Protein backbone atom coordinates (compact mmCIF):
# COMPACT_ATOMS: atom_id res chain seq x y z
CA UNK A 1 0.00 0.00 0.00
CA UNK A 2 1.79 3.11 -1.23
CA UNK A 3 1.04 6.51 -2.71
CA UNK A 4 1.42 5.26 -6.27
CA UNK A 5 -1.44 2.81 -5.74
CA UNK A 6 -3.63 5.53 -4.19
CA UNK A 7 -3.00 7.87 -7.13
CA UNK A 8 -4.15 5.07 -9.47
CA UNK A 9 -7.20 4.10 -7.42
CA UNK A 10 -8.39 7.70 -7.05
CA UNK A 11 -7.52 8.54 -10.67
CA UNK A 12 -5.25 11.45 -9.79
CA UNK A 13 -2.10 12.15 -11.85
CA UNK A 14 0.95 11.91 -9.57
CA UNK A 15 2.26 15.23 -10.83
CA UNK A 16 -0.82 16.91 -9.34
CA UNK A 17 0.53 16.16 -5.89
CA UNK A 18 -0.84 14.99 -2.55
CA UNK A 19 -3.21 17.93 -2.15
CA UNK A 20 -5.23 16.79 -5.15
CA UNK A 21 -5.02 13.20 -3.93
CA UNK A 22 -6.48 14.14 -0.56
CA UNK A 23 -9.20 16.23 -2.20
CA UNK A 24 -10.19 13.26 -4.38
CA UNK A 25 -10.28 11.01 -1.32
CA UNK A 26 -12.66 13.39 0.45
CA UNK A 27 -15.03 13.25 -2.51
CA UNK A 28 -15.08 9.45 -2.56
CA UNK A 29 -15.75 8.58 1.09
CA UNK A 30 -15.71 10.52 4.33
CA UNK A 31 -13.13 8.21 5.97
CA UNK A 32 -10.81 7.72 3.00
CA UNK A 33 -8.70 10.83 3.80
CA UNK A 34 -7.50 9.03 6.95
CA UNK A 35 -5.86 6.35 4.83
CA UNK A 36 -4.29 8.89 2.47
CA UNK A 37 -2.90 10.93 5.36
CA UNK A 38 -1.46 7.82 7.03
CA UNK A 39 0.30 6.74 3.82
CA UNK A 40 1.67 10.27 3.35
CA UNK A 41 3.04 10.18 6.90
CA UNK A 42 4.45 6.67 6.41
CA UNK A 43 6.31 7.76 3.27
CA UNK A 44 7.68 10.88 4.94
CA UNK A 45 5.74 13.46 2.92
CA UNK A 46 5.74 16.99 4.37
CA UNK A 47 2.53 17.60 6.34
CA UNK A 48 1.07 20.74 7.84
CA UNK A 49 0.06 20.99 11.46
CA UNK A 50 -3.60 20.79 10.38
CA UNK A 51 -2.98 17.59 8.42
CA UNK A 52 -1.03 16.03 11.29
CA UNK A 53 -3.87 17.00 13.63
CA UNK A 54 -6.48 15.34 11.43
CA UNK A 55 -4.40 12.17 11.22
CA UNK A 56 -3.84 12.16 14.99
CA UNK A 57 -7.58 12.46 15.61
CA UNK A 58 -8.23 9.63 13.16
CA UNK A 59 -5.69 7.45 14.96
CA UNK A 60 -7.30 8.22 18.31
CA UNK A 61 -10.66 7.36 16.75
CA UNK A 62 -9.32 3.95 15.66
CA UNK A 63 -7.74 3.41 19.08
CA UNK A 64 -11.06 4.30 20.71
CA UNK A 65 -12.94 1.73 18.66
CA UNK A 66 -10.36 -0.92 19.55
CA UNK A 67 -10.65 -0.08 23.24
CA UNK A 68 -14.46 -0.19 23.15
CA UNK A 69 -14.36 -3.54 21.34
CA UNK A 70 -11.95 -4.98 23.90
CA UNK A 71 -14.09 -3.76 26.79
CA UNK A 72 -17.31 -5.15 25.32
CA UNK A 73 -15.76 -8.45 24.22
CA UNK A 74 -14.44 -9.01 27.75
CA UNK A 75 -18.06 -9.08 28.97
CA UNK A 76 -20.09 -10.50 26.04
CA UNK A 77 -19.02 -12.92 23.27
CA UNK A 78 -19.64 -10.53 20.37
CA UNK A 79 -18.67 -11.08 16.76
CA UNK A 80 -17.09 -8.10 15.02
CA UNK A 81 -17.66 -7.35 11.33
CA UNK A 82 -15.38 -5.67 8.81
CA UNK A 83 -13.65 -2.68 10.45
CA UNK A 84 -11.11 -4.12 12.91
CA UNK A 85 -10.75 -7.35 10.93
CA UNK A 86 -10.04 -5.52 7.69
CA UNK A 87 -7.73 -3.06 9.45
CA UNK A 88 -5.55 -6.00 10.46
CA UNK A 89 -4.99 -6.74 6.74
CA UNK A 90 -3.42 -3.33 6.11
CA UNK A 91 0.34 -2.69 6.45
CA UNK A 92 1.67 -1.40 9.74
CA UNK A 93 1.32 2.37 9.89
CA UNK A 94 -1.50 2.52 7.34
CA UNK A 95 -4.82 3.53 8.86
CA UNK A 96 -7.71 1.62 7.30
CA UNK A 97 -10.75 3.93 7.21
CA UNK A 98 -13.39 2.94 9.76
CA UNK A 99 -16.65 4.82 10.03
CA UNK A 100 -18.26 2.79 12.80
CA UNK A 101 -17.98 -0.32 14.94
CA UNK A 102 -20.27 -3.20 13.85
CA UNK A 103 -20.98 -5.91 16.39
CA UNK A 104 -23.16 -9.03 16.16
CA UNK A 105 -24.55 -10.96 19.12
CA UNK A 106 -25.90 -14.49 19.30
CA UNK A 107 -29.30 -13.41 20.59
CA UNK A 108 -31.34 -10.49 21.87
CA UNK A 109 -30.44 -10.78 25.57
CA UNK A 110 -26.75 -10.48 24.67
CA UNK A 111 -27.55 -7.54 22.39
CA UNK A 112 -29.01 -5.57 25.30
CA UNK A 113 -26.02 -6.49 27.45
CA UNK A 114 -23.79 -4.90 24.82
CA UNK A 115 -26.04 -1.85 24.49
CA UNK A 116 -25.90 -1.27 28.24
CA UNK A 117 -22.11 -1.41 28.10
CA UNK A 118 -22.07 1.07 25.21
CA UNK A 119 -24.22 3.51 27.14
CA UNK A 120 -21.02 4.27 29.06
CA UNK A 121 -19.92 6.08 25.88
CA UNK A 122 -22.68 8.64 26.59
CA UNK A 123 -24.38 8.40 23.19
CA UNK A 124 -26.59 11.30 22.20
CA UNK A 125 -28.73 9.05 20.01
CA UNK A 126 -29.87 5.46 20.53
CA UNK A 127 -31.84 4.17 17.56
CA UNK A 128 -33.62 0.81 17.35
CA UNK A 129 -34.89 -1.10 14.32
CA UNK A 130 -36.63 -4.46 14.09
CA UNK A 131 -37.12 -6.77 11.15
CA UNK A 132 -37.94 -10.36 10.32
CA UNK A 133 -40.76 -12.76 11.14
CA UNK A 134 -41.54 -15.07 12.79
CA UNK A 135 -38.07 -14.65 14.31
CA UNK A 136 -37.56 -10.97 15.11
CA UNK A 137 -34.13 -9.44 14.77
CA UNK A 138 -33.05 -6.21 16.44
CA UNK A 139 -30.53 -3.58 15.36
CA UNK A 140 -29.43 -0.84 17.77
CA UNK A 141 -27.35 2.13 16.62
CA UNK A 142 -25.69 4.42 19.14
CA UNK A 143 -23.85 7.59 18.20
CA UNK A 144 -22.14 10.58 19.74
CA UNK A 145 -20.09 13.51 18.45
CA UNK A 146 -16.48 12.94 17.46
CA UNK A 147 -13.50 14.60 19.14
CA UNK A 148 -13.90 17.52 16.74
CA UNK A 149 -17.59 17.61 15.78
CA UNK A 150 -17.05 20.34 13.18
CA UNK A 151 -14.46 18.41 11.19
CA UNK A 152 -14.93 14.69 11.91
CA UNK A 153 -17.83 12.26 11.46
CA UNK A 154 -19.70 11.13 14.55
CA UNK A 155 -18.66 8.03 16.48
CA UNK A 156 -21.13 5.26 15.78
CA UNK A 157 -21.65 1.77 17.20
CA UNK A 158 -24.08 -0.71 15.67
CA UNK A 159 -25.17 -3.88 17.46
CA UNK A 160 -27.37 -6.46 15.75
CA UNK A 161 -28.70 -9.96 16.28
CA UNK A 162 -28.21 -10.66 12.55
CA UNK A 163 -24.94 -10.26 10.67
CA UNK A 164 -26.50 -9.74 7.23
CA UNK A 165 -30.04 -8.46 6.74
CA UNK A 166 -30.37 -8.89 2.97
CA UNK A 167 -32.49 -6.75 0.67
CA UNK A 168 -35.79 -7.15 2.57
CA UNK A 169 -37.14 -9.05 -0.42
CA UNK A 170 -35.42 -11.82 -2.32
CA UNK A 171 -32.30 -12.13 -0.13
CA UNK A 172 -33.15 -13.33 3.40
CA UNK A 173 -31.71 -12.44 6.76
CA UNK A 174 -28.61 -14.49 7.59
CA UNK A 175 -27.95 -14.32 11.30
CA UNK A 176 -24.52 -15.96 11.56
CA UNK A 177 -21.33 -15.45 9.58
CA UNK A 178 -18.68 -17.99 8.55
CA UNK A 179 -16.01 -18.46 11.20
CA UNK A 180 -13.24 -17.89 8.66
CA UNK A 181 -12.36 -14.18 8.84
CA UNK A 182 -11.39 -13.57 5.16
CA UNK A 183 -14.58 -15.28 3.99
CA UNK A 184 -16.70 -13.29 6.43
CA UNK A 185 -15.02 -10.05 5.31
CA UNK A 186 -15.66 -10.78 1.62
CA UNK A 187 -19.33 -11.53 2.25
CA UNK A 188 -19.81 -8.47 4.47
CA UNK A 189 -18.24 -6.24 1.80
CA UNK A 190 -20.46 -7.77 -0.89
CA UNK A 191 -23.55 -7.25 1.29
CA UNK A 192 -22.86 -3.50 1.26
CA UNK A 193 -24.16 -3.44 -2.33
CA UNK A 194 -27.72 -3.64 -1.01
CA UNK A 195 -27.14 -0.26 0.66
CA UNK A 196 -24.95 1.64 -1.83
CA UNK A 197 -22.72 1.40 -4.92
CA UNK A 198 -19.18 0.15 -4.37
CA UNK A 199 -16.45 2.79 -4.00
CA UNK A 200 -12.62 2.88 -3.89
CA UNK A 201 -12.36 1.95 -0.21
CA UNK A 202 -14.02 -1.38 -1.09
CA UNK A 203 -11.47 -1.95 -3.84
CA UNK A 204 -8.60 -1.27 -1.44
CA UNK A 205 -10.11 -3.72 1.06
CA UNK A 206 -10.29 -6.38 -1.67
CA UNK A 207 -6.69 -5.64 -2.62
CA UNK A 208 -5.54 -6.21 0.95
CA UNK A 209 -7.60 -9.38 1.34
CA UNK A 210 -6.13 -10.68 -1.92
CA UNK A 211 -2.63 -10.00 -0.59
CA UNK A 212 -3.11 -12.51 2.22
CA UNK A 213 -4.28 -16.05 2.69
CA UNK A 214 -7.85 -16.99 1.77
CA UNK A 215 -9.75 -20.28 1.58
CA UNK A 216 -9.85 -22.28 -1.64
CA UNK A 217 -11.88 -20.96 -4.58
CA UNK A 218 -14.47 -23.76 -4.23
CA UNK A 219 -14.84 -22.85 -0.55
CA UNK A 220 -15.41 -19.17 -1.35
CA UNK A 221 -17.89 -20.03 -4.09
CA UNK A 222 -19.74 -22.34 -1.70
CA UNK A 223 -19.93 -19.57 0.91
CA UNK A 224 -21.18 -17.01 -1.62
CA UNK A 225 -23.82 -19.52 -2.73
CA UNK A 226 -24.92 -20.35 0.81
CA UNK A 227 -25.21 -16.67 1.71
CA UNK A 228 -26.96 -15.70 -1.55
CA UNK A 229 -24.27 -13.18 -2.42
CA UNK A 230 -22.67 -14.49 -5.62
CA UNK A 231 -23.98 -11.60 -7.80
CA UNK A 232 -22.82 -8.91 -5.39
CA UNK A 233 -19.44 -10.53 -4.74
CA UNK A 234 -18.78 -10.93 -8.45
CA UNK A 235 -19.74 -7.29 -9.07
CA UNK A 236 -17.40 -6.20 -6.27
CA UNK A 237 -14.49 -8.21 -7.67
CA UNK A 238 -15.04 -6.88 -11.19
CA UNK A 239 -15.22 -3.33 -9.86
CA UNK A 240 -12.04 -3.77 -7.79
CA UNK A 241 -10.22 -5.42 -10.71
CA UNK A 242 -10.46 -2.15 -12.61
CA UNK A 243 -8.63 -0.32 -9.82
CA UNK A 244 -6.25 -2.60 -7.92
CA UNK A 245 -4.35 -5.90 -8.19
CA UNK A 246 -6.55 -8.68 -6.79
CA UNK A 247 -3.78 -11.11 -5.86
CA UNK A 248 -5.08 -14.54 -4.89
CA UNK A 249 -8.66 -13.34 -5.44
CA UNK A 250 -8.09 -12.73 -9.17
CA UNK A 251 -9.70 -16.03 -10.34
CA UNK A 252 -12.72 -15.74 -8.03
CA UNK A 253 -14.95 -13.61 -10.28
CA UNK A 254 -14.78 -16.18 -13.08
CA UNK A 255 -15.36 -19.00 -10.60
CA UNK A 256 -18.59 -17.29 -9.48
CA UNK A 257 -20.26 -17.18 -12.91
CA UNK A 258 -22.42 -20.27 -12.45
CA UNK A 259 -23.26 -19.41 -8.84
CA UNK A 260 -24.29 -15.90 -9.89
CA UNK A 261 -26.62 -17.24 -12.60
CA UNK A 262 -28.17 -19.70 -10.15
CA UNK A 263 -28.73 -17.01 -7.53
CA UNK A 264 -30.30 -14.62 -10.02
CA UNK A 265 -32.62 -17.43 -11.11
CA UNK A 266 -33.57 -18.14 -7.51
CA UNK A 267 -34.34 -14.47 -6.85
CA UNK A 268 -36.46 -14.23 -9.99
CA UNK A 269 -38.59 -17.12 -8.72
CA UNK A 270 -39.28 -15.48 -5.33
CA UNK A 271 -42.79 -13.99 -5.26
CA UNK A 272 -42.71 -10.20 -5.17
CA UNK A 273 -43.46 -8.68 -1.81
CA UNK A 274 -46.83 -7.00 -1.54
CA UNK A 275 -47.23 -3.30 -0.80
CA UNK A 276 -46.13 -2.14 2.61
CA UNK A 277 -49.10 -2.43 4.97
CA UNK A 278 -50.44 0.93 6.10
CA UNK A 279 -51.04 -0.62 9.50
CA UNK A 280 -47.73 -0.54 11.40
CA UNK A 281 -48.68 -3.50 13.55
CA UNK A 282 -49.43 -5.51 10.37
CA UNK A 283 -46.05 -4.54 8.91
CA UNK A 284 -44.43 -5.77 12.10
CA UNK A 285 -46.23 -9.12 11.86
CA UNK A 286 -45.14 -9.34 8.21
CA UNK A 287 -41.49 -8.96 9.17
CA UNK A 288 -40.99 -5.68 7.29
CA UNK A 289 -38.22 -3.40 8.59
CA UNK A 290 -39.54 -0.93 11.14
CA UNK A 291 -37.65 1.92 12.72
CA UNK A 292 -38.05 3.29 16.21
CA UNK A 293 -38.94 6.93 16.65
CA UNK A 294 -37.51 7.76 20.09
CA UNK A 295 -40.12 8.72 22.66
CA UNK A 296 -38.11 8.57 25.88
CA UNK A 297 -35.02 7.10 27.50
CA UNK A 298 -35.68 4.86 30.49
CA UNK A 299 -33.80 3.49 33.47
CA UNK A 300 -34.65 0.81 35.99
CA UNK A 301 -35.19 -2.03 33.53
CA UNK A 302 -32.06 -3.90 34.45
CA UNK A 303 -33.95 -7.20 34.54
CA UNK A 304 -35.28 -6.82 30.99
CA UNK A 305 -33.57 -9.07 28.45
CA UNK A 306 -35.83 -8.44 25.45
CA UNK A 307 -37.81 -5.63 23.87
CA UNK A 308 -41.58 -5.82 24.23
CA UNK A 309 -44.21 -4.78 21.72
CA UNK A 310 -47.37 -2.94 22.72
CA UNK A 311 -50.00 -2.59 19.97
CA UNK A 312 -52.68 0.04 19.97
CA UNK A 313 -54.97 0.69 17.05
CA UNK A 314 -52.85 0.21 13.97
CA UNK A 315 -49.69 1.36 15.75
CA UNK A 316 -47.02 -0.39 17.78
CA UNK A 317 -44.75 0.78 20.56
CA UNK A 318 -41.42 -0.93 21.10
CA UNK A 319 -40.57 -0.91 24.80
CA UNK A 320 -36.90 -1.75 25.25
CA UNK A 321 -34.54 -2.10 28.19
CA UNK A 322 -33.12 1.37 27.44
CA UNK A 323 -35.93 3.37 25.89
CA UNK A 324 -39.38 3.45 24.32
CA UNK A 325 -40.08 3.97 20.63
CA UNK A 326 -42.93 4.38 18.18
CA UNK A 327 -42.43 1.91 15.34
CA UNK A 328 -42.59 3.57 11.91
CA UNK A 329 -41.88 2.59 8.30
CA UNK A 330 -40.56 5.92 7.04
CA UNK A 331 -38.79 9.10 8.03
CA UNK A 332 -41.87 11.33 8.29
CA UNK A 333 -44.24 11.06 11.23
CA UNK A 334 -47.11 13.46 11.80
CA UNK A 335 -47.39 15.42 15.00
CA UNK A 336 -50.70 13.68 15.61
CA UNK A 337 -49.12 10.21 15.48
CA UNK A 338 -46.31 11.32 17.76
CA UNK A 339 -48.73 12.86 20.25
CA UNK A 340 -50.95 9.75 20.18
CA UNK A 341 -47.93 7.56 20.90
CA UNK A 342 -46.92 9.69 23.87
CA UNK A 343 -50.51 9.57 25.15
CA UNK A 344 -50.58 5.79 24.82
CA UNK A 345 -47.23 5.49 26.57
CA UNK A 346 -48.55 7.53 29.45
CA UNK A 347 -51.72 5.44 29.56
CA UNK A 348 -49.97 2.11 29.99
CA UNK A 349 -50.25 1.17 33.62
CA UNK A 350 -48.43 -2.13 33.37
CA UNK A 351 -45.98 -3.05 30.68
CA UNK A 352 -47.20 -6.23 28.94
CA UNK A 353 -45.06 -9.29 29.32
Amino acid sequence: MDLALLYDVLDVPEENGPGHLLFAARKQHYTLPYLVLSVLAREGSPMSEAARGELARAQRRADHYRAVLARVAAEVPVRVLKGPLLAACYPEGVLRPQGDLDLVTADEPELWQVVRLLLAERPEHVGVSVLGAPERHVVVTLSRPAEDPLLDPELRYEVATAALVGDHGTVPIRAAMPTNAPTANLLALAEERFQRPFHPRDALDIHRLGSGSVPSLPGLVAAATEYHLAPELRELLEYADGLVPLGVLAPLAEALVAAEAAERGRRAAVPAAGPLPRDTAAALADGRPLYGLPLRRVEGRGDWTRARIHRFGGEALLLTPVGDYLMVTGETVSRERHAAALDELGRIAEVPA
Side-chain angles (χ1 to χ4, degrees), residues 105 107-116 138-140 159-161:
T105 62
D107 53 32
E108 192 177 336
E110 289 188 354
L111 175 139
W112 294 115
Q113 283 183 260
V114 173
V115 169
R116 288 187 176 103
V138 182
V139 180
V140 179
V159 193
T161 56

Side-chain angles (χ1 to χ4, degrees), residues 126-302:
V126 180
V128 181
S129 303
V130 298
L131 67 162
E135 181 182 4
R136 184 182 73 210
H137 286 281
V138 182
V139 180
V140 179
T141 303
L142 307 93
S143 60
R144 70 174 178 84
E147 179 181 339
D148 189 330
L150 289 178
L151 297 177
D152 302 327
E154 65 183 4
L155 291 162
R156 194 167 63 249
Y157 322 88
E158 184 167 290
V159 193
T161 56
L164 306 174
V165 300
D167 64 355
H168 312 307
T170 59
V171 179
I173 296 170
R174 288 130 302 152
M177 291 292 281
T179 56
N180 177 266
T183 302
N185 282 332
L186 279 172
L187 296 179
L189 287 170
E191 178 88 0
E192 290 288 321
R193 187 62 183 89
F194 295 132
Q195 308 298 324
R196 57 166 175 80
F198 294 124
H199 55 63
R201 185 185 67 170
D202 303 313
L204 291 167
D205 286 339
I206 290 293
H207 168 65
R208 293 310 308 166
L209 286 170
S211 301
S213 176
V214 299
S216 65
L217 285 183
L220 292 174
V221 172
T225 301
E226 178 184 354
Y227 282 80
H228 306 293
L229 284 170
E232 289 69 33
L233 182 54
R234 188 158 185 264
E235 180 185 343
L236 171 59
L237 291 163
E238 290 181 339
Y239 168 77
D241 191 34
L243 297 174
V244 297
L246 299 188
V248 296
L249 293 175
L252 182 55
E254 184 65 25
L256 285 166
V257 169
E260 177 188 11
E263 174 60 17
R264 291 196 184 279
R266 185 198 67 79
R267 294 180 190 181
V270 175
L276 185 66
R278 294 177 61 86
D279 185 302
T280 304
L284 185 65
D286 198 35
R288 301 296 184 91
L290 290 172
Y291 313 98
L293 175 70
L295 298 175
R296 67 180 181 186
R297 293 270 191 102
V298 299
E299 296 181 357
R301 294 178 181 173

